[in-house]
Amino acid sequence: MIAFPAFHLEGDLLLAPKMFLHVALDAGRVHGRSAHRHPAFARRARRLFRGGRVVDLACGHGLLAHVMLLLDDSSASAMAVDVTIPPSAQKIQDAIVTAWPRLASRVSFEERPVDAVALTVDDVVVSSHAC
């Protein structure tokens, strides 16, 4: 596994999507367009919302939750929620944490309906593919 430097935040929240794409695809079972879309979506969200717990609803592999934390260290944690978490989510999370160790123990996965999640006013709620 290739170790990548921390993401750099420069003015417009520049993110190196190719690095994230490489790590996610190398771990397997992630479509290239998903690995490309999540960093772009997260950049737009972080321009407006900073801090708070990240809640990624209908999370799939939890890519968006991880990228949201990479972009803003003032968010201490993220909760990735889906009715069914894919079996490969842990493998992908392990690969992401290997590349960015500061994410270790910061993203938790929960299998439950998204309408059963208790939210607070400080949460940053995101969902990229909640269809």
Side-chain angles (χ1 to χ4, degrees), residues 1-129:
M1 176 63 59
I2 299 170
F4 292 107
F7 281 60
H8 298 285
L9 304 180
E10 300 172 10
D12 197 26
L13 293 179
L14 294 177
L15 178 64
K18 288 184 181 178
M19 290 190 300
F20 190 80
L21 174 67
H22 174 75
V23 171
L25 292 177
D26 190 46
R29 302 240 180 224
V30 175
H31 295 286
R33 73 176 167 220
S34 290
H36 274 293
R37 285 182 186 164
H38 292 311
F41 181 92
R43 275 195 312 270
R44 288 191 298 273
R46 282 302 191 194
R47 285 183 190 128
L48 300 173
F49 305 104
R50 308 289 290 179
R53 175 183 68 162
V54 173
V55 181
D56 182 1
L57 299 177
C59 69
H61 290 94
L63 298 178
L64 184 55
H66 287 90
V67 176
M68 291 290 287
L69 293 180
L70 284 170
L71 287 171
D72 184 8
D73 267 336
S74 68
S75 289
S77 65
M79 180 172 53
V81 180
D82 210 328
V83 175
T84 304
I85 303 294
S88 55
Q90 185 61 52
K91 180 180 178 186
I92 292 167
Q93 182 177 30
D94 292 345
I96 292 170
V97 169
T98 298
W100 293 281
R102 65 189 172 107
L103 294 183
S105 303
R106 291 178 61 195
V107 178
S108 63
F109 285 88
E110 295 190 22
E111 281 191 348
R112 65 164 103 167
V114 295
D115 59 356
V117 177
L119 300 172
T120 70
V121 296
D122 296 323
D123 288 339
V124 177
V125 181
V126 293
S127 188
S128 181
H129 291 106

